[in-house]
Amino acid sequence: MPEKSSPLWWLFAAISIGVYLAAMFPGMINSRQKIWVSCGPVAGFLAIMAFSANYDWSLNEMLPAYCGMLLGFALGVVGQWKAMREFMAWREANPGKPDDEGPGVPWMLQIAFTLPIFLGGAIWYMNNY
């Protein structure tokens, strides 16, 4: 792995964005949902920018956590696109209803396992290298 201050992390971040979008788009059923999902990498980047500015860390040193977050979400939905599409179709047909009244969301359980593993690994890496 490159050093956490390596400029290669910008390339890894771009690749992570591509993997995230490629994993999330098949589960969305309309362009509004795809636009909403596309805001995820932007919101994550704004969050690491704010953290970086607040705690005086280099933005480049925060990129491993950014990559870990995006990859954790992306791998959390792999293989669950049919269930995601079913849930998103139900959500579009039933606006305002609580999500727990809709069809099951097995992909949320998968995200609950993959996100802490990838983000935790990235934070461990940032603290040790």
Side-chain angles (χ1 to χ4, degrees):
M1 283 308 263
E3 189 176 299
K4 67 180 175 182
S5 60
S6 171
L8 278 176
W9 281 107
W10 289 99
L11 175 62
F12 295 154
I15 292 169
S16 298
I17 291 169
V19 170
Y20 169 84
L21 294 175
M24 296 299 270
F25 278 176
M28 303 299 121
I29 61 167
N30 61 33
S31 59
R32 194 188 74 180
Q33 291 173 351
K34 289 179 181 181
I35 291 169
W36 179 252
V37 164
S38 298
C39 292
V42 175
F45 192 74
L46 292 175
I48 68 163
M49 282 179 55
F51 186 90
S52 174
N54 190 44
Y55 291 103
D56 245 358
W57 280 33
S58 164
L59 181 60
N60 205 45
E61 292 178 359
M62 295 297 301
L63 288 176
Y66 180 69
C67 294
M69 175 199 64
L70 289 176
L71 292 174
F73 275 115
L75 293 178
V77 300
V78 168
Q80 302 291 340
W81 295 296
K82 183 178 178 185
M84 277 181 73
R85 290 183 68 79
E86 181 182 314
F87 178 76
M88 292 302 173
W90 176 86
R91 195 171 199 189
E92 184 178 34
N94 299 293
K97 281 194 172 181
D99 289 346
D100 60 353
E101 291 181 14
V105 287
W107 44 276
M108 280 301 220
L109 182 61
Q110 192 169 326
I111 288 174
F113 284 104
T114 59
L115 185 61
I117 290 169
F118 277 81
L119 193 53
I123 292 171
W124 174 83
Y125 170 81
M126 289 169 44
N127 287 324
N128 290 312
Y129 295 103

